[in-house]
Amino acid sequence: SSKMFELKVVTSTWMFVSLIQKTKRGQSSKYEYQDLGLMVSQCPAGVDRLEEHLPSAQLWPTLTRIGHTEVLATNQNQSYLLLPFSLAPRQGDLEYTLAIYSANPVSIRPVAYNPMALNIGLHLSVAAAQSPKELFPGIWM
């Protein structure tokens, strides 16, 4: 089964969220990194109200040992849903360490996995994505 986490922010903060896989050193020659990704959604009405989630950050799946994304949590007393995921078929659970480096204290707890959270999170993230021309309008001719 997969895992989801609720991250609670009391004071607005800036943080890095990392997914860290074990090193290949000492593993069998068949060991490969998993394609880990992470969806981070702001949850104004709580983690159970998926239709009201707002995409905050994404780490698109990649075959690397350590993946990072930045999260700017500007709202006080806010919950965020952290959803690590993989798009590749696999046997068993994803193996990783979730690390959070935050400028201010935050709390985190596991929550019951809801498979619809990934579907909705991916759709909202793609729909909210901006093209480079929209993000950096001054550098395009």
Side-chain angles (χ1 to χ4, degrees):
S1 70
S2 296
K3 298 176 186 175
M4 297 188 335
F5 303 92
E6 179 182 20
L7 180 110
K8 289 196 176 188
V9 173
V10 176
T11 304
S12 61
T13 191
W14 174 50
M15 66 188 109
F16 285 96
V17 180
S18 300
L19 293 175
I20 306 167
Q21 299 185 62
K22 60 185 172 183
T23 182
K24 288 185 177 182
R25 186 175 183 170
Q27 304 298 325
S28 84
S29 60
K30 295 180 183 180
Y31 176 76
E32 294 293 331
Y33 295 129
Q34 300 171 4
D35 70 323
L36 285 179
L38 178 71
M39 307 297 322
V40 180
S41 301
Q42 185 178 355
C43 308
V47 294
D48 296 329
R49 300 285 304 266
L50 296 176
E51 68 278 2
E52 296 185 31
H53 287 192
L54 303 169
S56 296
Q58 298 81 31
L59 172 62
W60 297 110
T62 183
L63 293 170
T64 185
R65 180 170 177 261
I66 303 172
H68 310 281
T69 190
E70 287 182 82
V71 179
L72 183 59
T74 57
N75 295 336
Q76 296 182 6
N77 299 314
Q78 186 67 64
S79 288
Y80 290 81
L81 180 68
L82 297 149
L83 177 53
F85 69 98
S86 170
L87 297 177
R90 65 184 185 284
Q91 300 277 336
D93 289 342
L94 291 170
E95 292 185 33
Y96 60 86
T97 298
L98 177 69
I100 299 171
Y101 311 93
S102 176
N104 291 312
V106 297
S107 63
I108 188 167
R109 69 179 182 95
V111 293
Y113 179 72
N114 180 345
M116 286 304 297
L118 180 58
N119 293 344
I120 292 171
L122 286 171
H123 282 86
L124 289 174
S125 294
V126 170
Q130 293 180 309
S131 73
K133 285 186 178 183
E134 293 173 305
L135 291 172
F136 308 105
I139 63 170
W140 300 92
M141 302 189 104

